Amino acid sequence: MNTPLCKYLRTKKMFVPVHEAEALTEAAEAGTEADAFYWCNCTLSEIGADDKPAHLRACIPGRICFKE
Amino acid sequence: MLSWPEKRDVIGQSTPRVDAPAKVTGAAKYSSDVQPEGWLYGMIYRSRWPAAKVTGINIEKAKQIPGIKAVVVERDGERTVRFYGEELAAVAGTSKQACLDALLVIEVEATPLPFVVKEEAARNPNSPRVWPDAANLPEPNVREKGDVDKAFAAAAAVVEGFFTTPTQLHQPLETHGNTVSVTYDGVTCWASTQGIFSVRDGLADYLEVPHEKVRVITDHMGGGFGAKFGPGAEGGLAGRLSKAAGAPVKLMLTRFDQSLAVGNRPSSFQQIKLGADADGKMVAFEMNSFGTAGIGAGASSAGGGGGAGFPAPYIYVVPNIRVKQSSVAINAGQARAFRAPGHPIASFGMESIVDELAVKLKMDPVELRLKNDPNKIRQREYAIGIEHFGWKQKYKPPGSSPGPIKVGVGCAGATWGGGGRGTQADVQINPDGSVEVRCGTQDLGTGTRTLVAVVAAEVFGLKPEQISARIGDTQFPPSGGSGGSTTAASVCPAIFDACTNALQDLQKKTGVADARGSNWSAACRKLGVNPLTSHGKWQEGLSSSGAGGVQFAEVEVDTETGFVKVRKILCVQDCGLIVDKLTCETQINGGVIMGLGYALYEERVMDSATGVVLNPNFETYKVPNFADVPEIEVILVDMPERGVIGVGEPATIPTAGAIANAVANALGVRVSSLPITPARVLAALGKVGKVGSKA
């Protein structure tokens, strides 16, 4: 993705080196494989500090809790 | 480029676990066994509402309970809770009873909100929204190829079916949890995790300390199936409690907690249509499906399914396809990765409709698969399976088994990626000949520690028990998390590289031309008094990805009680170079048993009236026990030329589909919803009313 993502956004594939490069890409959400779940490292929850879901397309600039 | 030795003395043999003595004597300390000096119990106060606006949490009375040393609120300020079980506060005390007493006096001001916990209800646009700004049901992901309508119109045979799979709960024997000690010097965490570095990453951010100040240890842990990445809310809360109390806090979830809030396999509801020509060649596939990933689904996830998507059509090549998938949000705990995410769901639906097509075409189901599955490895595995299982003798027309207890057989196939990368390791050779291998991976119970010892023993010409395999500590060279069946393929090449380097260094330093085997002790003595340390890392050419696997099931079904007994599962599985035959077979056994649970027993039941999980324990959420486990025969297809490929996931994928097809073969009618309970069998036979799919 070209849009910057929050530094606290996490998903499992980020921690699996063979999948790390594709972890935060559109392909991960393409629907041809099981799609991903995300969490926020600030809250350690699937819900971010602003009470909204952590997600590849949601943890972007403009969100109140976004951190570069 | 490195390559595995042509002649292998240890690799590929059946090596017992090197830590088996420690495990059977109790010497092995699992993460939940750890008791650092002065440790406190930790417990979580959870939402009792499936949806509510929380305006205040009063913890003052909890702080006054004797023995309570710390109480924290999960998050300050007003908030909305969206499922029964969401974390609101946590307590730490000197006893479990003190914690329980403290939880009872935490006061929460909350205004209940409307909620919905069933998928079918949540799809109704008028149902309560899980997220106020987003519909529960987003527009579906659509994939289309070819001319589906034309292909169906020209097809010689068309079959349709509606298949459902339940939400399956993560139930490792050791629940999620950590013991966390926060001191002025840093953080130490004993974690039940699939990724020690993921826990370090999470605690460092959450507690705002540098990574190098966080040490995570996982010496032994009791199972993880995809959901144990990062410290989780429970790890973060344990850290805050420890900081507040000035003592280590052990916060292991109860089974009740486990069932509510740490992930699950999403449900699915699949309407499938499949067409073929007169020769059985598939020509058209259409699927409309939905499922739930709990609060993680729906339009709020901005297009993502929160884990509820899955590959379709599964493993077969169909030229014309139309697939529409959506995931609907409900007020329940979010899905997380679960052993082969998406694949068992996909396999069950696809393999069921393939068998329906075989019946309509009056064709042998295996023959139909061989016509449409282009994968050469699975073709080979089916051929092996037909022979060993006695398929041609056992397969009879559906429903033709005589008597009230009917026998049937079925089969199904799988695919999985896996692959390796990104692991480093150190090897220390000591003057007395002892060897220490250090690697920051973790053993989920699959035998990773044994694989480390096997590879090192192979290189040095020693026995595995002569190797000290030290893993599960972030102070060791880094390795990735254990997910996606990537551990063996990531770790084994790194160990091989490090040991190869160490052997070369030893031989160079001591002048011993070949220090292996019987020369080992003498060569090591030449080191003098100082050990030798060498480093290695994952290398190309020693591992690869892409496993197949097929399974055959034989069942008997009591048509008077509806009880299904699985007699036998045959698994024919490729996994590249087999490192340890015994751990490979046992991991496949575990995958099959988990698949058996998915097929026959496991299902989260939500209560529409209260929004609670009605079966959050092992009394009401049944997993297979030893009496349920059939004969499992494993045939490993050794392909050493492919290098190491993980096997944790593929073996659990086709089990449910194979069992479902065997039940349909026995009865002559299909039970199209998992789990295949006695009630559903009797309903399929028309002996009782239809059983809901729990949507």
Side-chain angles (χ1 to χ4, degrees), chain B residues 214-233:
Chain B
V214 182
R215 182 184 181 191
V216 179
I217 301 167
T218 302
D219 203 12
H220 297 276
M221 60 92 80
F225 302 99
K228 286 182 174 176
F229 280 78

Side-chain angles (χ1 to χ4, degrees), chain A residues 8 10 12 15-19 29-39 41-48 51-53 55 57, chain B residues 75 80 82 131 143 198 201-202 205-206 232-233 236 301-302 304-309 311 325 334 336-337 341 343 480-481 486:
Chain A
Y8 291 118
R10 294 292 182 273
K12 174 191 160 186
F15 298 103
V16 179
V18 73
H19 297 305
E29 290 291 315
T32 53
E33 292 293 333
D35 40 31
F37 74 100
Y38 302 89
W39 72 90
N41 241 15
C42 232
T43 61
L44 295 179
S45 161
E46 296 88 347
I47 299 165
D51 213 22
K52 292 180 177 169
H55 193 275
R57 297 204 186 103
Chain B
R75 172 174 321 195
T80 303
R82 294 179 181 84
W131 300 92
R143 287 183 293 113
S198 74
D201 171 72
D205 276 355
Y206 188 75
S301 57
Q325 289 185 315
Q334 177 156 354
R336 292 187 190 175
H343 286 235
T486 62

